[in-house]
């Protein structure tokens, strides 16, 4: 499969340009809801007041969602959602908690009882004045949580959102942003210890029976030879991970696959494989290098797979291109939309 075929995804990427009020969003995780419906989860998103607005005139909300109807992005319908009222500007679909934090969605999954579970990161701005070496990105992740929705087949405006709190996580591991899968008994979530320079990734699991009762207190963590309830015993599966990755089971290969980007400037999409969510995981292999730019401020990240989408000659992968200079986002509105890559099915 030639490189021009891997990146020839303009028809699929048009999915994100169907609503003139939604002018781009971060993250871009997708969840198979069944019956040809796919949920998209976005972080910071630009919402325009009218059909002719630009990003400079738009409101940035901390998260938004979309429902794709039809599994082929080239032909599917796409409906975007955020919160609106007549007396206030647009606001996040998953509301802020009233303190100085907000939510960025991670991954989600449809459970056997029909409910939808979405993991989310609780984020706050960093205090540059207090830091000897302030974070150049200007934010930090302080916790993770999950949101349970018992009526995901209804219009998202009518969804019942219930926050579920997992056990205290003093280790700072953000489970759910690194991907989630389930088998007959458990839901598994990968998470990165984001503050550690090695960027190690860990595995947690919950019984499906406990999640059906909306109880996340019984989390277990992979500790190298067995699952234990003490997170202090957890051992990393591998290092050099990204906060946002994807995890899915490939029935043809009979393996779990983890897709991520490596690096930020000159970035590649990479793949790891394992027989089980907890590993042992292979060393990363490069799928493809992402397009380079002369603009050194541009960064690409959040590489993810979307195996439930229909794509000719393989699986669709996505990534996001952003800039460390906010002016670039306003000047070049081709940035900050999810981009697709076609993962050749027979290459690995």
């Amino acid at each position: 499969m030639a490189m021009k075929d891997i990146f020839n995804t303009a028809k699929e990427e048009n999915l994100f340009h169907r609503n003139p009020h939604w002018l781009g969003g971060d993250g871009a995780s997708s969840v198979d809801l069944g019956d040809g419906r796919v949920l998209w989860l976005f972080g910071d998103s630009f919402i325009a007041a009218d059909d002719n607005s630009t990003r400079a005139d738009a409101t940035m909300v901390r998260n938004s969602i979309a429902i794709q109807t039809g599994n082929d992005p080239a032909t599917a319908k796409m409906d975007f959602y955020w919160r609106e009222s007549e007396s206030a500007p647009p606001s996040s679909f998953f509301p802020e908690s009233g303190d100085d934090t907000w939510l960025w969605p991670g991954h989600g999954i449809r459970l056997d009882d029909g409910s939808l579970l979405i993991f989310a990161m609780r984020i706050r701005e960093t205090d540059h004045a207090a830091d000897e070496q302030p974070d150049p990105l200007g934010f930090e992740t302080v916790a993770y949580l999950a949101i349970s929705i018992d009526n995901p087949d209804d219009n998202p405006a009518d969804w019942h959102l219930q926050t579920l709190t997992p056990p205290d996580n003093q280790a700072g591991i953000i489970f759910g942003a690194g991907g989630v899968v389930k088998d007959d008994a458990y839901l598994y979530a990968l998470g990165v210890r984001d503050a550690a320079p090695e960027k190690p990734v860990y595995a947690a699991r919950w019984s499906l029976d406990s999640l059906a009762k909306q109880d996340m207190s019984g989390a277990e963590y992979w500790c190298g030879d067995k699952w234990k309830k003490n997170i202090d015993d957890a051992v990393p599966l591998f290092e050099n991970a990204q906060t946002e990755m994807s995890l899915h089971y490939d029935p043809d290969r009979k393996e779990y696959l983890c897709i991520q980007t490596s690096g930020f400037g000159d970035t590649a999409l990479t793949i790891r494989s394992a027989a089980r969510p907890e590993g042992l995981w292979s060393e990363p292999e490069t799928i493809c290098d992402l397009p380079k730019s002369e603009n050194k401020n541009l960064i690409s990240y959040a590489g993810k797979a979307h195996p439930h989408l229909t794509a000719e000659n393989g699986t669709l992968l996505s990534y996001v291109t952003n800039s460390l200079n906010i002016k670039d986002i306003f000047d070049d509105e081709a940035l900050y939309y999810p981009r697709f890559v076609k993962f050749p099915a027979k290459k690995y």
Side-chain angles (χ1 to χ4, degrees):
M1 191 174 189
M3 292 299 290
K4 65 180 178 65
D5 298 320
I6 291 176
F7 290 101
N8 184 18
T9 55
K11 292 189 298 183
E12 289 85 0
E13 289 171 8
N14 188 52
L15 179 77
F16 304 109
H17 298 262
R18 304 276 173 84
N19 186 328
H21 294 253
W22 194 86
L23 300 182
D26 208 355
S29 300
S30 68
V31 184
D32 184 10
L33 297 179
D35 296 327
R37 296 171 68 244
V38 176
L39 167 66
W40 285 91
L41 300 163
F42 305 103
D44 289 348
S45 307
F46 287 99
I47 309 300
D50 57 59
D51 292 358
N52 300 312
S53 292
T54 65
R55 285 181 182 158
D57 305 316
T59 298
M60 176 175 275
V61 302
R62 290 305 190 178
N63 57 72
S64 65
I65 72 167
I67 299 292
Q68 174 184 330
T69 305
N71 290 103
D72 183 353
T75 58
K77 179 184 177 185
M78 189 77 149
D79 295 307
F80 293 86
Y81 297 88
W82 52 87
R83 302 292 174 182
E84 290 186 303
S85 71
E86 295 182 358
S87 59
S91 60
S92 303
F93 182 83
F94 300 108
E96 282 76 31
S97 61
D99 54 17
D100 61 348
T101 66
W102 64 87
L103 297 182
W104 282 343
H107 285 272
I109 195 165
R110 191 85 186 253
L111 299 179
D112 295 345
D113 63 1
S115 65
L116 172 64
L117 191 69
I118 297 172
F119 285 80
M121 299 169 275
R122 189 171 293 285
I123 309 293
R124 69 182 172 201
E125 292 184 4
T126 51
D127 183 356
H128 288 268
D131 294 340
E132 293 181 5
Q133 294 181 322
D135 186 340
L137 298 180
F139 64 85
E140 62 182 352
T141 307
V142 297
Y144 80 99
L145 52 83
I147 300 167
S148 177
I149 299 160
D150 63 8
N151 60 332
D153 293 324
D154 292 349
N155 186 302
D158 300 321
W159 280 358
H160 309 147
L161 307 181
Q162 179 170 343
T163 299
L164 308 184
T165 303
D168 288 341
N169 183 1
Q170 299 299 323
I173 304 169
I174 310 303
F175 290 108
V180 295
V181 294
K182 66 180 179 67
D183 58 19
D184 292 339
Y186 291 94
L187 179 146
Y188 302 85
L190 299 188
V192 174
R193 190 178 177 190
D194 209 28
E198 302 85 1
K199 303 296 184 188
V201 63
Y202 299 80
R205 74 177 187 179
W206 291 264
S207 75
L208 296 183
D209 289 342
S210 66
L211 293 179
K213 301 173 185 175
Q214 299 186 327
D215 179 7
M216 298 190 74
S217 64
E220 296 179 321
Y221 309 96
W222 182 245
C223 298
D225 58 351
K226 63 177 64 175
W227 294 92
K228 300 180 182 178
K229 291 190 176 182
N230 187 352
I231 195 170
D232 293 334
D233 294 330
V235 300
L237 312 184
F238 53 86
E239 295 181 342
N240 299 314
Q242 294 279 327
T243 303
E244 294 190 67
M245 310 181 297
S246 70
L247 172 67
H248 73 278
Y249 181 73
D250 186 319
D252 294 327
R253 296 175 48 144
K254 296 182 173 56
E255 290 182 307
Y256 291 89
L257 304 181
C258 181
I259 305 294
Q260 69 169 79
T261 48
S262 62
F264 278 106
D266 294 337
T267 311
L269 283 168
T270 63
I271 182 173
R272 297 177 188 263
S273 60
R276 295 284 304 159
E278 65 270 22
L280 297 169
W281 284 93
S282 69
E283 292 298 314
E285 295 183 66
T286 296
I287 297 170
C288 65
D289 293 319
L290 297 180
K292 295 178 174 59
S293 171
E294 295 181 359
N295 186 342
K296 300 304 181 183
N297 287 315
L298 297 192
I299 56 175
S300 295
Y301 55 93
K304 297 168 186 175
H306 307 277
H308 37 275
L309 302 185
T310 301
E312 186 178 1
N313 298 325
T315 297
L316 284 174
L317 314 181
S318 70
Y319 65 98
V320 175
T321 299
N322 201 342
S323 177
L324 297 174
N325 182 353
I326 190 64
K327 185 175 182 297
D328 291 333
I329 305 299
F330 296 128
D331 291 346
D332 184 357
E333 295 201 4
L335 298 175
Y336 209 64
Y337 283 99
R339 304 299 304 271
F340 280 133
V341 168
K342 289 181 180 177
F343 171 38
K346 302 300 181 183
K347 186 173 179 180
Y348 291 95

